[in-house]
Amino acid sequence: MKKDDAVSLSVIKRLPKYFRYLTSIADKGIVRVSSKELSSITGLTASQIRQDLNHYGCFGQQGYGYNVKELINELSKILGIDRKYKLILIGYGNIGHALFNYEGFSQSGYTFEAIFDSNPEKIGKEIDGIKIFDVNDLENYLSDNEIDIAVLSIPKEDAQKVANVLCKSNIDGIWNFAPEDLKTTNGVVLENVHLDESLYTLTYFINNPQDYVFGNE
Amino acid sequence: MKKDDAVSLSVIKRLPKYFRYLTSIADKGIVRVSSKELSSITGLTASQIRQDLNHYGCFGQQGYGYNVKELINELSKILGIDRKYKLILIGYGNIGHALFNYEGFSQSGYTFEAIFDSNPEKIGKEIDGIKIFDVNDLENYLSDNEIDIAVLSIPKEDAQKVANVLCKSNIDGIWNFAPEDLKTTNGVVLENVHLDESLYTLTYFINNPQDYVFGNE
């Protein structure tokens, strides 16, 4: 159950956006920003932005606005991206391969500790020093190793079975790319990237342009 | 501006989910389903589901529910996935490579007509019969070829510049994987897959489990 004092999902979903906007203006050397300026970049109202940030005690100063670096630091802590995470990749196919090689992750403190796959031709190989294990050894591996996040990029048919193994382990979260709605237990947090849904949303708007509102997501 | 009779984004975002649920139960041989049953799978209320589908004239029958195949056909039309799309891929890096090779797309009527990249080592090569062009030739290519969707998987620094070229062409939509908030004009529909935001949402919930509500997205 959602607690009364829990922050709503719509607020939470805006935080990574603020973080991205702020890091992009910090890269341009901007040191302070008003909620009004943030509003013109993000398309959200200034009062919405102030409210969102106030939830977390990030108060701007009247007449000054926000110090960009400080706000980035605060948001890093809130989003939990000021710490490091140990990841495993399950499914070294197309998408798995792309995620494993995505430089942005390792730069941001996300490191892959192991890969799992069911393909005998892949099992036992090493990619950049990281070993590909048999997915059947997942349970054993997780009882011996402290892992934070499992990245799931396997066919939908196998996804729930693997998720069940993950939920019995000590991992904290699953980042799921399988086009399947998984159930998790034991407090394991699930975040989905459903590429098919995203593509269908695009084609919906192409075919129903009257419903399209720019920047609305 | 959003018109008064426009369907809200939250309804639209649920349609691909319904489509996925229905195709998965159709695969299991289920021929009819009540809104109550759909509710137990999706976690949405039965009346919410009926309301969403009524927007599009998909009415279930009292005491029978929905015919699964018919509803899938209706949703295919609504989502625009009953037709074929010509795609170009811009950026043949990690993610671009994965998307190009994703079998699900070609099976569903999405076909890549050309690839564009800025890397001289890639330009001129052919991947499965599809040529990699210089991204500088994009404008010319689009004036000679009818393309529906551009898939953008390039560094964020170049994304808006390429989006501007796309918006001057006849394409209908951009499926953007660059971690950048693009602006589009000329009625070009934009749909983003922001992997960084998704990962930050996951780490937020890992660090703020009190805010996590299962299935809430």
Side-chain angles (χ1 to χ4, degrees):
Chain A
M1 282 303 284
K2 196 173 174 76
K3 290 180 199 153
D4 286 344
D5 58 351
V7 181
S8 82
L9 188 72
S10 48
V11 177
I12 295 164
K13 290 269 179 185
R14 285 194 288 268
L15 299 177
K17 290 190 196 296
Y18 295 141
F19 183 78
R20 191 174 57 237
Y21 293 124
L22 289 162
T23 47
S24 80
I25 63 172
D27 286 348
K28 291 176 191 150
I30 294 170
V31 293
R32 74 178 199 183
V33 66
S34 66
S35 50
K36 207 173 157 188
E37 286 164 313
L38 269 180
S39 157
S40 74
I41 320 173
T42 61
L44 300 159
T45 68
S47 88
Q48 175 80 82
I49 294 170
R50 280 196 301 271
Q51 251 181 45
D52 285 355
L53 297 173
N54 283 358
H55 272 297
Y56 299 94
C58 302
F59 305 108
Q61 275 182 3
Q62 188 98 40
Y64 179 86
Y66 297 92
N67 178 299
V68 174
K69 252 192 193 157
E70 275 177 26
L71 193 49
I72 289 175
N73 284 341
E74 284 302 315
L75 282 170
S76 293
K77 282 183 213 158
I78 294 164
L79 290 166
I81 45 185
D82 59 332
R83 46 170 284 211
K84 298 196 181 302
Y85 295 89
K86 290 185 176 176
L87 276 60
I88 53 169
L89 174 66
I90 309 176
Y92 194 66
N94 259 320
I95 301 284
H97 181 267
L99 294 169
F100 184 79
N101 287 290
Y102 189 62
E103 283 175 16
F105 295 149
S106 53
Q107 285 165 2
S108 313
Y110 301 89
T111 49
F112 283 106
E113 301 286 318
I115 304 172
F116 293 84
D117 205 285
S118 59
N119 184 340
E121 288 179 20
K122 294 180 185 171
I123 295 166
K125 288 198 174 155
E126 276 197 15
I127 317 290
D128 299 339
I130 305 301
K131 200 173 162 187
I132 305 184
F133 294 93
D134 188 331
V135 72
N136 289 320
D137 295 334
L138 182 61
E139 195 168 349
N140 280 337
Y141 178 89
L142 288 172
S143 64
D144 294 340
N145 296 275
E146 200 66 48
I147 296 295
D148 302 299
I149 296 170
V151 182
L152 211 55
S153 51
I154 56 178
K156 62 177 181 173
E157 293 73 20
D158 309 322
Q160 186 61 57
K161 210 179 103 190
V162 172
N164 293 344
V165 174
L166 293 170
C167 288
K168 276 192 253 163
S169 79
N170 283 325
I171 67 148
D172 295 320
I174 298 175
W175 199 24
N176 174 44
F177 287 78
E180 180 77 2
D181 290 272
L182 303 178
K183 299 212 185 310
T184 59
T185 55
N186 199 18
V188 172
V189 168
L190 174 70
E191 170 72 16
N192 295 304
V193 178
H194 285 320
L195 294 179
D196 55 345
E197 285 187 19
S198 176
L199 186 55
Y200 297 164
T201 304
L202 179 65
T203 54
Y204 176 89
F205 283 122
I206 286 175
N207 291 281
N208 300 274
Q210 76 283 358
D211 288 336
Y212 185 65
V213 186
F214 180 77
N216 198 348
E217 52 181 340
Chain B
M1 280 304 283
K2 197 172 173 75
K3 291 179 199 154
D4 285 345
D5 58 351
V7 180
S8 83
L9 187 72
S10 48
V11 176
I12 295 165
K13 290 267 179 186
R14 285 194 288 269
L15 299 177
K17 290 190 195 295
Y18 295 141
F19 184 77
R20 191 174 58 236
Y21 293 124
L22 289 162
T23 47
S24 81
I25 63 173
D27 286 348
K28 290 176 191 149
I30 294 169
V31 293
R32 72 178 200 183
V33 66
S34 67
S35 50
K36 207 174 156 187
E37 286 163 313
L38 269 180
S39 156
S40 74
I41 320 173
T42 61
L44 299 160
T45 68
S47 87
Q48 174 80 82
I49 293 171
R50 280 195 302 271
Q51 252 181 45
D52 286 356
L53 297 174
N54 283 359
H55 272 295
Y56 301 94
C58 303
F59 305 107
Q61 274 181 3
Q62 188 98 39
Y64 179 87
Y66 297 92
N67 177 300
V68 174
K69 253 190 192 157
E70 275 177 25
L71 193 50
I72 289 175
N73 284 341
E74 285 302 315
L75 282 170
S76 294
K77 281 183 214 158
I78 295 164
L79 290 167
I81 46 185
D82 60 331
R83 46 169 283 212
K84 296 195 182 303
Y85 295 89
K86 290 187 176 175
L87 276 61
I88 53 169
L89 174 66
I90 309 175
Y92 195 67
N94 260 320
I95 301 285
H97 181 267
L99 294 169
F100 185 78
N101 287 289
Y102 189 61
E103 284 175 17
F105 295 149
S106 53
Q107 285 165 3
S108 312
Y110 302 89
T111 48
F112 283 106
E113 300 286 319
I115 305 173
F116 293 85
D117 205 284
S118 60
N119 184 339
E121 287 179 21
K122 295 180 185 170
I123 295 167
K125 288 200 175 153
E126 276 197 13
I127 317 289
D128 298 340
I130 305 300
K131 199 171 163 189
I132 305 184
F133 295 93
D134 187 332
V135 72
N136 289 321
D137 295 334
L138 181 61
E139 196 168 349
N140 279 338
Y141 177 91
L142 288 171
S143 64
D144 294 339
N145 296 274
E146 201 66 48
I147 297 296
D148 302 298
I149 296 171
V151 182
L152 210 56
S153 52
I154 56 177
K156 63 177 180 173
E157 293 74 20
D158 309 322
Q160 186 61 57
K161 209 178 104 190
V162 172
N164 293 343
V165 174
L166 293 170
C167 288
K168 276 191 253 165
S169 79
N170 283 324
I171 66 148
D172 295 319
I174 299 175
W175 200 23
N176 173 45
F177 287 77
E180 180 77 3
D181 290 272
L182 302 177
K183 300 213 184 311
T184 59
T185 54
N186 198 18
V188 172
V189 168
L190 173 71
E191 170 72 16
N192 295 303
V193 177
H194 285 321
L195 293 179
D196 54 345
E197 284 187 20
S198 176
L199 187 56
Y200 297 164
T201 304
L202 179 65
T203 54
Y204 176 89
F205 283 122
I206 286 176
N207 291 281
N208 300 274
Q210 76 283 356
D211 288 335
Y212 185 65
V213 186
F214 179 76
N216 198 348
E217 53 181 336

